């Protein structure tokens, strides 16, 4: 033990530690490449797709087109109004217009509709948002010739 005390404790020789190269990231946007080091950030602007809707209004009028015609849906004053303009011969339209109150999650039901234009009411609560969707089939003398495409219109009362 005396020998240990006389020699003392000797620290082990320092170990050589390899340092990993810092992480580098390349980001390419619109053909322009930016090199970023670990922890750096980049800020990009956003391009608007179309003019923003009027505050409180979301898609109050939507036009859905296809090769058989157009469906126009307008939401305002507590009701949805729809109009179908056929590009092919058709004699009648039968469908279902589904309404949902998005503010409280209640279903406004599914109203049967007949004809190429019409109106479907909502609960007409002030400040509530409503969504509507029309599905149906146009026919020519009883033979189906066209179906509605997926559509969804929202408005705030």
């Amino acid at each position: 033990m005396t020998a240990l005390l006389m020699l003392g404790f000797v620290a082990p020789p320092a170990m050589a530690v390899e340092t990993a190269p810092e992480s580098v990231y390349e980001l390419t946007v619109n053909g322009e490449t930016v090199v970023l080091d670990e922890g750096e950030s980049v800020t990009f602007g956003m391009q608007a797709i179309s003019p923003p809707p009027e505050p409180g209004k979301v898609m109050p009028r939507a036009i859905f087109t296809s090769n058989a015609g157009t469906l126009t849906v307008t939401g305002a004053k507590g009701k949805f109004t729809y109009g179908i303009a056929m590009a092919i011969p058709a004699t009648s339209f039968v469908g279902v217009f589904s309404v949902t109150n998005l503010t409280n999650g209640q279903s406004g039901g599914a109203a049967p509709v007949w004809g190429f234009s019409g109106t479907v009411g909502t609960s007409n609560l002030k400040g509530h948002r409503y969504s509507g969707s029309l599905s149906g089939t146009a026919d020519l003398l009883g033979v189906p010739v066209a179906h509605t495409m997926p559509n969804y219109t929202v408005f705030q009362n």
Side-chain angles (χ1 to χ4, degrees), residues 3 7 11 18 23 35 37 43 48-49 53 57 61-63 69-70 73 76 80 83 102 126 151-152:
L7 292 172
E18 286 187 38
S23 297
V35 178
D37 289 327
T43 303
I49 295 171
K57 304 288 183 183
R61 179 180 174 89
I63 300 173
T70 60
V73 181
F80 285 101
L102 297 175
K126 188 73 176 159
N151 59 84
Y152 181 75

Side-chain angles (χ1 to χ4, degrees), residues 8-143:
F9 291 101
V10 178
M15 301 272 241
V17 176
E18 286 187 38
T19 56
E22 289 187 41
S23 297
V24 176
Y25 304 91
E26 285 188 6
L27 180 63
T28 303
V29 177
N30 290 336
E32 185 176 334
T33 301
V34 177
V35 178
L36 301 172
D37 289 327
E38 182 76 29
E40 288 187 321
S41 61
V42 176
T43 303
F44 295 98
M46 297 292 289
Q47 178 71 34
I49 295 171
S50 62
E54 179 182 332
K57 304 288 183 183
V58 181
M59 285 181 54
R61 179 180 174 89
I63 300 173
F64 305 94
T65 61
S66 73
N67 61 355
T70 60
L71 164 64
T72 303
V73 181
T74 304
K77 299 179 182 170
K79 62 186 176 186
F80 285 101
T81 303
Y82 74 93
I84 299 170
M86 298 299 297
I88 60 175
T91 53
S92 65
F93 177 84
V94 176
V96 174
F97 202 107
S98 301
V99 177
T100 303
N101 183 330
L102 297 175
T103 303
N104 62 19
Q106 292 181 329
S107 171
V113 295
W114 296 272
F116 294 101
S117 63
T119 300
V120 176
T122 68
S123 56
N124 199 20
L125 298 173
K126 188 73 176 159
H128 283 231
R129 289 182 53 201
Y130 295 92
S131 70
S133 178
L134 177 62
S135 61
T137 303
D139 64 60
L140 177 62
L141 301 173
V143 178

